Amino acid sequence: MYGPESGGDFALDFDQEGTFTGGTLVASGYAGMVETLDSEFPSLMAGLPQSAGSNVQIEQNGKSLLSFTPTHAFEVLLVYDGQFQTGDSLSVLGESVTLSQGVNTIGNVQEGPGPQGGFGNPQPPRR
């Protein structure tokens, strides 16, 4: 899933919260509005900017998980997979991480403000 080409947007945009329950999701975009999902599976956030047309390969435990050629430039790549387990090794564009529970990061990642509910309309705190 490719995000918009404007500098402040990301492929995922939702109010309050989003949940990943299985399958595979790869989302890309710009760091200013990165929103992550709640998940019982470990996930990856890679701050490895790429231009459109570059080849991106993701490996899991030394084997190819997927390869794609983005149609848009991006700063951040999010990867969720229902088969990811704590202790798995993931490699993206020459950077590697051993997964622990939650969102694992590689590269230079400065996550945006998260779910806001839109400009000028922040959501009240949850109780």
Side-chain angles (χ1 to χ4, degrees), residues 50-51 53-57 67-70 93:
Q50 294 296 300
S51 58
S54 59
N55 184 37
V56 177
Q57 292 187 341
S67 177
F68 65 97
T69 303
L93 298 164

Side-chain angles (χ1 to χ4, degrees), residues 74-92:
F74 65 85
E75 295 176 339
V76 177
L77 183 69
L78 282 178
V79 183
Y80 291 85
D81 192 292
Q83 301 300 311
F84 286 172
Q85 296 180 21
T86 300
D88 283 353
S89 174
L90 288 188
S91 176
V92 179

Side-chain angles (χ1 to χ4, degrees), residues 8 17 44 60 70-71 98 103 105 107 111:
E17 65 183 66
L44 175 70
Q60 178 183 12
T71 59
T98 299
V103 179
T105 60
E111 191 172 349

